[in-house]
Amino acid sequence: MAKGMVWASAEDLARNKPLVLSLYRQILRSLNSPQLPLSLAARFAKKAEVRTIFLFGSEERSVHNIADLIDAAQHSLSILKKGRLP
């Protein structure tokens, strides 16, 4: 991301898109893990929550907020891989 700029440029958005999509898919796949103590309805609810977060995140144009979304997704993914809920 460009240093010193508050708003993301088209280059910033294009550069982050593959990472954000990858994190989104990994989180959705991790929610299917049998290690998580979730019922079917709870899994669907968590997946809907993830979709909502990333949907609103996809409209974000602030460099700092995009970085925060990526950091939060990476942290949540690391917790999910340990078999716990974030």
Side-chain angles (χ1 to χ4, degrees), residues 6-64:
V6 175
W7 301 111
S9 66
E11 293 173 0
D12 293 330
L13 296 174
R15 185 173 31 252
N16 289 318
K17 186 176 181 180
L19 175 60
V20 171
L21 284 174
S22 173
L23 288 168
Y24 171 70
R25 290 180 183 130
Q26 288 179 55
I27 289 173
L28 288 180
R29 276 195 303 265
S30 294
L31 286 172
N32 287 330
S33 172
Q35 295 178 348
L36 295 176
L38 294 173
S39 66
L40 182 62
R43 285 184 202 282
F44 285 147
K46 284 289 184 187
K47 287 181 180 183
E49 186 179 333
V50 169
R51 284 186 193 100
T52 303
I53 291 169
F54 277 87
L55 177 68
F56 287 116
S58 70
E59 298 172 357
E60 189 58 56
R61 297 293 180 246
S62 166
V63 172
H64 302 293

